[in-house]
Amino acid sequence: SALEAEDAAARVAALSAAEVQAPEAELVRGLLLGAAQIEADDTQAAADTLNAVATSDADNIYKDLAAFKAVLAQGAEMDANERRIAFEALAQPGRPLALLASEQVALLDIEAGETQAAIERLQAITLDAGSSAGLRSRASQLIVALGGEPESLPTGTESQ
């Protein structure tokens, strides 16, 4: 019923008050509460909620998702070097959100004026067979906007 509340503040209140019995339910509540806090423009509370999920005993995909969203929620309020460290950790090969985190590192490269580093990182994303069509498209568009020429996967190797 907390999700049926009309505005974000009401969802935050309802989710905060909800009693959960199982660790899995607490995980879901934390992710939903963090999202509602972001929607309610309470980015610090969202970051705290999501960081609690990120440091829990949850599966890595949920921990990485929560950590990723916590950094995004803080945006420019978080020091650029701290954001870079957080996204680089999430961008390590084998991590569930590695490609999305790598895209965020490329955006930080652009912000820092490191155009060539951004282009190289974006090229790696476009050439990664695990990249979704949307991510590949965003990366290609950024490469062009930065004055580069996107490379493409050999025919038949793009993911569907």
Side-chain angles (χ1 to χ4, degrees):
S1 66
L3 298 178
E4 296 173 4
E6 290 189 27
D7 67 4
R11 281 191 296 282
V12 168
L15 285 165
S16 295
E19 292 184 29
V20 294
Q21 303 299 320
E24 296 83 6
E26 182 60 39
L27 166 72
V28 171
R29 181 175 75 119
L31 291 171
L32 292 172
L33 178 58
Q37 290 166 325
I38 290 168
E39 188 178 348
D41 292 325
D42 193 351
T43 56
Q44 188 56 56
D48 292 344
T49 298
L50 293 166
N51 281 325
V53 173
T55 57
S56 71
D57 291 335
D59 289 340
N60 286 339
I61 181 66
Y62 301 113
K63 290 167 55 168
D64 281 6
L65 176 62
F68 185 84
K69 290 180 75 168
V71 176
L72 288 179
Q74 293 174 83
E77 295 173 12
M78 184 179 198
D79 177 73
N81 287 331
E82 290 178 23
R83 277 185 286 155
R84 177 178 295 278
I85 290 167
F87 283 133
E88 284 180 346
L90 293 167
Q92 296 302 308
R95 299 292 292 261
L97 301 176
L99 293 169
L100 292 173
S102 188
E103 177 186 31
Q104 293 301 312
V105 174
L107 294 173
L108 288 168
D109 288 338
I110 294 167
E111 186 179 311
E114 300 288 336
T115 304
Q116 189 56 42
I119 290 172
E120 289 171 9
R121 186 172 293 274
L122 293 165
Q123 290 286 17
I125 291 170
T126 64
L127 296 174
D128 192 302
S131 291
S132 68
L135 178 57
R136 190 174 287 117
S137 175
R138 285 194 312 272
S140 294
Q141 290 170 0
L142 273 170
I143 291 167
V144 171
L146 293 170
E149 180 69 32
E151 298 175 27
S152 59
L153 288 172
T155 304
T157 60
E158 294 184 24
S159 62
Q160 302 291 328

